Structures are given as C-alpha cells and as structure tokens.
Amino acid sequence: MIEMRNLTKRYFTGTPNEITVLGGIDLSIKAGEFVAIVGQSGSGKSTLMNIIGALDQPSGGEYELDGTPIQHLNRSQLASVRNHKIGFIFQSFNLIPRSSALKNVELPMVYAGIKKSPRSLRAKKLLDMMDMGERMNHYPNELSGGQKQRVAIARALANDPDILLADEPTGALDSKTGHRVMDIFLRIHREEKKTIVFITHSAELAELCPRVITIKDGRIVSDEAGSRAGGSADG
Amino acid sequence: MVENLLLSLESLRANKMRSFLTMLGIIIGISSVIAIISVGNALTASVTSQFAELGINNVTLGIQARSDGAASYDPNSVKVPKDSDRLSTAQIETLMQKFPEIETLSLSDEAGRGKARLGRKTSSVSLTGVNFGYAQANKVNLVRGRYIREADIEAARSVVVVSDRTAEAIYGSIDSAIGSRIVIYTEKAIKEFTVIGVYQYVQSGVQGVTAPGSELETGAYIPVSRAKKDMPYKNFMSLTVIPRAGTDLTLFTEKLSAYLGELYANNKEWEGYAYNMKSELESTNSVMNSLSLAIAAIAGIALLVGGIGVMNIMLVSVTERTHEIGVRKALGAQDSHIRLQFVAEAVMLSVMGGLIGIVLGLGLGFAGSALVGAPFELPVYVILGTVMFSMFIGIFFGYYPANKAARLNPIDALRYE
C-alpha cells in the first residue's frame, strides 16, 4: 500500500540554513496494517505523515501509494488522492465550525461529487456507527472533545478510503476519552480492514498497535511489534 | 452550486456587521442607479406624453415674418400679413396634390371667444372655424351626432359641434342638444347655429386651463368657411399636416420646408416654414439622457468603490480562514471547489447588496417621481441589468481573493493558525 525508498525532506535547500527533516526513509506498509509512528516532537513524524497523506511533497526519494508514484502527480490529482484514498484525523479535530456534524461528514463526499441524498444517507450511517447519530445536527462548538473526534473519524471514513492517517488523535483528549477513541481505531481496523497509520506520543497507546515505528531525527530507529498488540485500550 | 451559495450565506451570517458594511457600498451604488434611472424615465415619459397630446407626428406649416436683413424690430407695429401673403385655399389644394404623403390636413381659425346661450342658460366657448381634418389632428372625440363635413364647408353652413360640457350646461343632456339651435355671442358678433354634434371634452395640461372660480371654456367648432365670412382675412397663416403612417417625418418636413421656401422666394416680408414636434422631443430627450448618463456614471463610481470593498473584505476573509482552507484541501477539495466557494460568497455579498439597493432605489425613485409630478415607471430591464451587474461585480472583485485561496499550498494552509 505504502512504499517509500530513500525519502527525504529538506527546507531552505542550498542555503546555509538548510534543514533536513527527513533523512532517507525506507518504509513499506502493507494493506490492512495498523502502524503506530512514535517519536519526540521535532523528530519528523508529522512531516512523514503529511507526505504519506499527499499534503506535502518530498524533496527526494520515491513514494508510491497503492502503486501510484505520488511525486509525479499535479495539484488536482493530489487533491483527488487525498479525497478518495486517504482519511485524515487531526489532533485538534479540524471540524468546519459553521457546519453541523452531518455537514462536516458530508464534506469529503461533496468534493467527490456525490449527490445529495446518497451523501446524506452515508453520512448518517457513519455518524450512527460512531454513536453520534443523535447529535448529527449539532455544531462543533456544541460537542465535547471526544464527540468532535468521533465526528472527525466519521468524516475521515466518508469516501471509504484505503488508509486512515491519524495525527495524535488522542493528544487533545483526557486519557479515558483517548482510550475510547483508540478503541474505535482498533475496531475499524478489525472490522473494516483499513490500513491505519497512527502518530502518537503515548507509549501506552503505541503498545496496542501490531507494528510500532520509532522515528528520531528524521530516521527510522526501530520497527517492531507492539508489546500488547491485539488487546483493547480499556483492557 | 446551491451548496456553495448556502455555505456562503452561513459564513456571511457569521459576520453580520461586516457583511452589511461591505454591502453598503453596493447598496448605495445600486440604489442611486435605480433611483436616477427611474426618475429620469418618469420625466422622459411625462414629457413624451405631453408632446404626444400636441400631436407628435403632425407637421405644422405656416408663414412668419422674415427676420433677416436690416429690418429692426419695432414693438409698436407687430406685422400682420396681408391676405395675399397668406396661404390660399388653392395653394393648399396644390400642396395636397404635390405631396402624396399627406393623409389629411387640418385648417383652423379662431373666430372669437364668448358665450353660447339658450334662454337664461349660458356656457363659455371659444369659437373655432375648422375643416374636416381638424378633428383627426386634434383628437376630437365625437360622442353624439356628426362632425363637420365637406358639404358644410362648401356651403358655409351655420352648424356647430359643441363640447359635452356645453351641451349639458345648456340643454341638460347631450342627447337633447343635437338638432337644437344655439346662439353664440362673441366680441364681434351674435350668430345663431344648429348643433350637429357633441364631442367629449378632455381636460389636459395644455388646453383648458381656467383660473379658479371662472367658468370652464370649451371649444365650439364651426365650418372654417363659415368663420371666414366674418373675418377680414380669407387665407391662412398656418395649417397642420397629418402625414400617412410610415412617412419619414424628418425628410417630409424638409421637403415641405423647401417647397414653402420656393413659394415665398419672392416675398420680401414673409417666409414659409414647416415644423415637426418630434425633432423637438428628440433633442429634449437627448439632453435628459445625457444628464441621466452623467449621474449614472457617478453612481457607477460608487459601485466601483463598493466592489473594491467586497474585494478587500474577501481578502480578509481568505486570510482569516486559511486554516479552514487547509482542512478542506486535506479532505480532498480541488482548487476549483475553494475558488467557487469564495466567488460564491463575494457574489452573494454583492447580489444581496444589489437586491437591497434595488428595493431602496425603487423607493427613492417612487418618491422622486412623485416629487417632480411625473408618473412612476418600473424599469424592469434596469432591475434585471442591475442584478446581473452586481453579480458581475461579485465575480470580478471576488475572483482574485478566491483564486488566492485556491492556490494556497495545502500543508502551509493547514499549519496556519
């Protein structure tokens, strides 16, 4: 699903201030894997995530997503990749403030050109799945952090993407709510067979993942199975 | 598209005050355009209808004193043309034969003002000698009896067509007037006539203006030949020509003018003229149009400023919502989606401003028309044009900010706080 070879990301290339954020990443993630990426802030894990998600372009190396070389796509094709193949979940939820939960979930489908009635139907189904059906007409400022993140997960699933990319999805939540959100990811992985790439600070949550990749100073320093893989966040 | 418009409504509602202030420029511009154009139209329409009452398609022929040469104006001796200087019946007949464009012509001569009387009942009249064409040229609307015929003129019969007002004042009803005898007293003579017809008197802004308290004076028409019997001059100083429909009035008037010029070429004191109201109206209209245009241009500048206001606020809006744009791009929005969203917002702003401006402008136009005493005209094409124009302002001034938003780099926009 994800193939990276000697991927680099540099800023201010060719100037004395040149910064290397990613210094040659070789990474292969197969379809249906649940991968946690851990590392300290500034380690480059978010940059890696943005490149995986076709939001950012690498400075060098190769990246293939589902067989498509991403670095050769134009703006429009990249938008299409983000729309159809990837579902983003952010630490700060990033819901559109003036739109209801339902409209937020519908948004990726609007961009995919799906007609109103099937779009609305699917959005309701996804919100029901996240136990948010009753609050679908609420606006983001009327929802708690955990509820917002569940709406955001429903939105990420809207166009049935191959990959879910979650950037510290529990970072803004208390630990109990965070665990509940983690359980949702585990369930989606189990039931929907999605490929999930999950960035976290929390060693505790990372241990629940079947595969844990640790990044330091822009390089992968370890790639192993989580010690409590297969368990539940609450358990 | 509907999606985008609803979305833009939401974001405008989120900033009510700001949206309103932005719209204000458009509102002022559009309302002044609408007000100016509707008042201008009302004025033009009222002037046109006044001219039409006077017979806009008619051509007036006549003679006037030559004003060229050394002859100085002496107010003590207003020149009166001799009978030989005037247009004779024979000359008029020749004219009719020469110009097939003439449908009919109207001859009239004032035969004095006075009172029609029967017993003790009276009614003020102005006696006018007319020919058959007069009724058509002056839109005399007969309601009873008949109008003056060729035979009446040939025989110089003592018959009269009076107004319904006169008939009612003297006979009590218009029906009993027909065939009755009537005595008309003028400054010069007392004459007896037989009433053959009654026409409907129409009060207009041009004729029939009476001082308050004084009796209404209406016209009483008698055969022109009958009127001439009591007058020193048998020939005519002026007459009105009614051309056939479809005649080129300007050309026709020029031809008549040339013909009369030739006819009076050897007359030292008098010259002929031909005159048409339409050319007069056109020049009046063109003055009013250019005035409207000048004021509309100023209103257009107001609109331009309003448009720049829209652009400014859209730029602020794009900067404010950079992060949101990043989120939308992360969810797969194409550049075109973002562009459309912001253009829709700008169009919404300016069209809403435009609609409010139209309502306001119509109100102002209505008040303005009432103030100048002209009938209010609802210029539908102007309203449509204004809506289109405000939409155009939205697209034109919204495009640059929208494009700026669309071209944002997704990751930079997303990181923007």
Side-chain angles (χ1 to χ4, degrees):
Chain A
M1 181 60 65
I2 295 168
E3 286 294 334
M4 287 180 169
R5 278 179 297 277
N6 195 25
L7 192 95
T8 56
K9 181 68 179 177
R10 294 190 178 87
Y11 289 105
F12 313 116
T13 313
T15 72
N17 298 328
E18 183 176 306
I19 298 165
T20 302
V21 183
L22 294 177
I25 299 278
D26 290 294
L27 178 64
S28 174
I29 297 173
K30 290 181 189 67
E33 274 197 273
F34 193 133
V35 182
I37 297 177
V38 294
Q40 289 175 332
S41 49
S43 60
K45 60 187 192 305
S46 282
T47 302
L48 179 61
M49 176 74 113
N50 291 332
I51 291 171
I52 294 173
L55 272 173
D56 205 356
Q57 290 283 60
S59 312
E62 280 164 45
Y63 168 34
E64 275 183 19
L65 177 68
D66 203 13
T68 311
I70 293 298
Q71 68 268 34
H72 298 313
L73 301 184
N74 62 26
R75 283 174 71 92
S76 170
Q77 289 165 326
L78 287 171
S80 187
V81 164
R82 291 193 292 270
N83 190 225
H84 292 102
K85 292 200 179 279
I86 292 160
F88 280 99
I89 294 132
F90 304 94
Q91 181 177 4
S92 52
F93 324 120
N94 282 344
L95 298 178
I96 306 295
R98 289 177 310 278
S99 298
S100 66
L102 185 69
K103 291 282 172 204
N104 263 286
V105 178
E106 281 187 26
L107 198 55
M109 295 187 270
V110 170
Y111 293 141
I114 294 167
K115 294 253 180 309
K116 184 148 182 67
S117 72
R119 187 171 83 205
S120 175
L121 211 69
R122 173 154 176 85
K124 280 174 191 158
K125 207 181 105 192
L126 286 167
L127 283 168
D128 278 337
M129 214 171 90
M130 295 293 139
D131 289 326
M132 288 298 295
E134 281 171 23
R135 291 175 187 272
M136 64 182 191
N137 290 321
H138 286 232
Y139 284 81
N141 60 4
E142 297 164 342
L143 300 173
S144 72
Q147 289 169 334
K148 281 184 205 173
Q149 200 56 298
R150 279 185 278 159
V151 172
I153 295 168
R155 183 176 70 178
L157 289 168
N159 283 333
D160 197 19
D162 298 329
I163 304 168
L164 282 188
L165 292 179
D167 191 348
E168 306 214 25
T170 61
L173 304 172
D174 61 69
S175 77
K176 197 176 164 215
T177 320
H179 282 123
R180 205 169 290 158
V181 166
M182 186 64 196
D183 269 342
I184 293 172
F185 279 107
L186 290 168
R187 194 180 85 206
I188 291 167
H189 177 243
R190 210 167 44 239
E191 292 171 7
E192 311 271 324
K193 310 287 180 223
K194 299 276 180 218
T195 309
I196 298 177
V197 180
F198 185 93
I199 289 188
T200 185
H201 259 105
S202 160
E204 189 195 351
L205 290 180
E207 280 171 7
L208 291 166
C209 300
R211 184 178 170 191
V212 180
I213 293 168
T214 310
I215 291 198
K216 198 180 176 194
D217 298 332
R219 287 177 189 282
I220 294 174
V221 291
S222 82
D223 187 346
E224 55 202 8
S227 56
R228 289 173 59 221
S232 148
D234 276 344
Chain B
M1 194 63 215
V2 177
E3 209 65 39
N4 272 295
L5 289 176
L6 290 177
L7 206 70
S8 59
L9 254 185
E10 272 168 21
S11 71
L12 294 184
R13 215 181 296 141
N15 289 303
K16 281 194 200 75
M17 190 63 184
R18 192 165 87 183
S19 304
F20 175 73
L21 288 175
T22 310
M23 275 189 258
L24 207 56
I26 306 278
I27 292 172
I28 291 170
I30 295 279
S31 61
S32 43
V33 167
I34 292 272
I36 289 158
I37 293 177
S38 57
V39 172
N41 274 10
L43 271 177
T44 310
S46 94
V47 169
T48 308
S49 75
Q50 276 176 24
F51 273 92
E53 261 171 30
L54 295 169
I56 189 166
N57 290 319
N58 299 347
V59 181
T60 305
L61 304 182
I63 55 166
Q64 60 193 10
R66 283 194 195 275
S67 56
D68 51 59
S72 62
Y73 179 69
D74 179 3
N76 291 324
S77 73
V78 175
K79 277 199 286 188
V80 176
K82 294 192 291 287
D83 219 16
S84 60
D85 293 326
R86 296 177 184 232
L87 290 161
S88 71
T89 317
Q91 279 173 320
I92 292 165
E93 265 165 27
T94 315
L95 190 79
M96 279 198 83
Q97 281 157 13
K98 283 237 170 187
F99 292 96
E101 294 98 324
I102 298 175
E103 185 178 321
T104 180
L105 48 81
S106 158
L107 292 171
S108 68
D109 220 326
E110 299 296 321
R113 298 164 63 186
K115 298 232 176 215
R117 163 173 271 172
L118 184 78
R120 307 182 70 177
K121 291 176 180 157
T122 64
S123 170
S124 290
V125 293
S126 70
L127 206 57
T128 309
V130 299
N131 77 334
F132 190 74
Y134 181 87
Q136 195 177 343
N138 293 279
K139 301 197 168 73
V140 176
N141 182 20
L142 206 68
V143 290
R144 285 293 187 286
R146 64 177 182 84
Y147 191 66
I148 289 156
R149 288 178 185 154
E150 212 57 55
D152 299 323
I153 293 166
E154 272 169 29
R157 285 181 189 143
S158 294
V159 291
V160 65
V161 173
V162 297
S163 71
D164 48 356
R165 305 288 181 102
T166 302
E168 276 162 15
I170 293 185
Y171 303 103
S173 81
I174 52 177
D175 287 309
S176 50
I178 307 295
S180 304
R181 304 195 70 72
I182 195 168
V183 178
I184 295 176
Y185 295 75
T186 64
E187 301 96 326
K188 292 164 191 158
I190 303 167
K191 295 277 163 352
E192 200 181 54
F193 296 93
T194 306
V195 178
I196 54 164
V198 177
Y199 71 91
Q200 186 183 24
Y201 171 75
V202 182
Q203 175 117 37
S204 74
V206 184
Q207 58 171 155
V209 181
T210 49
S214 76
E215 205 188 333
L216 181 74
E217 186 184 85
T218 60
Y221 304 120
I222 59 172
V224 67
S225 49
R226 176 68 191 78
K228 287 287 184 195
K229 267 188 175 178
D230 306 321
M231 284 198 263
Y233 302 109
K234 305 301 172 200
N235 294 338
F236 296 90
M237 264 191 88
S238 75
L239 59 113
T240 304
V241 167
I242 303 165
R244 291 183 199 286
T247 306
D248 181 341
L249 282 169
T250 315
L251 189 70
F252 180 52
T253 310
E254 274 171 23
K255 276 161 74 181
L256 283 174
S257 208
Y259 177 75
L260 286 171
E262 231 168 86
L263 207 60
Y264 281 83
N266 296 323
N267 194 317
K268 293 244 163 26
E269 282 182 89
W270 300 92
E271 61 181 348
Y273 70 86
Y275 165 84
N276 172 240
M277 207 74 94
K278 195 162 204 166
S279 46
E280 196 76 351
L281 176 63
E282 271 160 12
S283 69
T284 311
N285 274 353
S286 82
V287 168
M288 273 205 280
N289 282 347
S290 52
L291 202 69
S292 293
L293 214 66
I295 304 173
I298 294 167
I301 293 169
L303 271 181
L304 184 75
V305 174
I308 293 168
V310 169
M311 182 147 144
N312 188 25
I313 221 68
M314 289 312 297
L315 283 171
V316 171
S317 181
V318 167
T319 308
E320 266 181 4
R321 282 149 68 189
T322 302
H323 181 70
E324 181 193 315
I325 293 163
V327 173
R328 288 175 183 275
K329 287 190 172 244
L331 297 178
Q334 295 284 352
D335 289 1
S336 57
H337 288 124
I338 304 292
R339 196 180 295 122
L340 195 64
Q341 184 193 336
F342 282 93
V343 167
E345 201 168 314
V347 167
M348 204 66 162
L349 256 180
S350 53
V351 168
M352 268 168 61
L355 290 178
I356 297 172
I358 286 170
V359 172
L360 211 66
L362 286 178
L364 283 173
F366 193 79
S369 304
L371 213 66
V372 299
F376 177 69
E377 294 250 315
L378 190 80
V380 177
Y381 69 96
V382 174
I383 292 176
L384 284 178
T386 317
V387 172
M388 299 287 279
F389 189 66
S390 51
M391 206 177 273
F392 169 76
I393 288 180
I395 293 169
F396 185 80
F397 289 101
Y399 186 83
Y400 172 71
N403 199 45
K404 197 180 161 194
R407 298 299 300 172
L408 283 171
N409 194 10
I411 189 66
D412 295 339
L414 197 59
R415 281 202 195 115
Y416 187 93
E417 291 295 338

